[in-house]
Amino acid sequence: QLQASGGGLVQAGGSLRLSCTTPGRTFDTYAIGWFRQTPGKEPEFVAAVSGSGWQRSAGSVKGRFTISRNNANSAVYLQMNDLKPEDTAIYYCAAATALDEKYGYWGPGTQVTVSS
């Protein structure tokens, strides 16, 4: 129900823009969050945006990552600038009824690899 795309291999200092689309279902009133996961670790919260546009982001990405949404095409984006090797992970988008609720809808992730 959610599909993340846009990952790839980039050098440190580079940029990527991830997209999250929701084919077959509308999540316009839902909060959409981005999470990332590395092998052997739990998913880590990255950023989220509510249906009305309220945003949150993790301290580790503040000033570098920007989340935005376009309800006209049911898409949420994660613009990632100044990427660091520690940003390497599989990135997932997920949906919740509100920012503080449990994210119950997940889709396949997209791999982001940052080389030093």
Side-chain angles (χ1 to χ4, degrees):
Q1 292 177 317
L2 292 94
Q3 187 168 347
S5 62
L9 173 64
V10 64
Q11 289 187 331
S15 299
L16 283 173
R17 188 176 84 153
L18 305 184
S19 298
C20 176
T21 56
T22 60
R25 177 168 177 168
T26 299
F27 284 94
D28 292 355
T29 63
Y30 283 63
I32 302 294
W34 285 98
F35 297 79
R36 63 188 182 187
Q37 188 174 26
T38 54
K41 294 188 176 181
E42 293 293 316
E44 174 192 17
F45 171 78
V46 176
V49 58
S50 72
S52 57
W54 289 99
Q55 301 173 16
R56 290 182 185 167
S57 61
S60 59
V61 305
K62 279 189 187 295
R64 300 189 298 123
F65 292 10
T66 302
I67 191 169
S68 62
R69 71 186 300 160
N70 183 339
N71 284 342
N73 58 10
S74 296
V76 173
Y77 306 100
L78 184 69
Q79 177 67 42
M80 305 187 296
N81 298 326
D82 190 23
L83 282 160
K84 305 176 185 297
E86 52 264 40
D87 295 318
T88 295
I90 299 175
Y91 283 69
Y92 300 88
C93 61
T97 55
L99 278 177
D100 295 324
E101 297 297 324
K102 179 180 178 181
Y103 286 83
Y105 302 89
W106 293 75
T110 184
Q111 175 72 48
V112 171
T113 303
V114 185
S115 63
S116 58

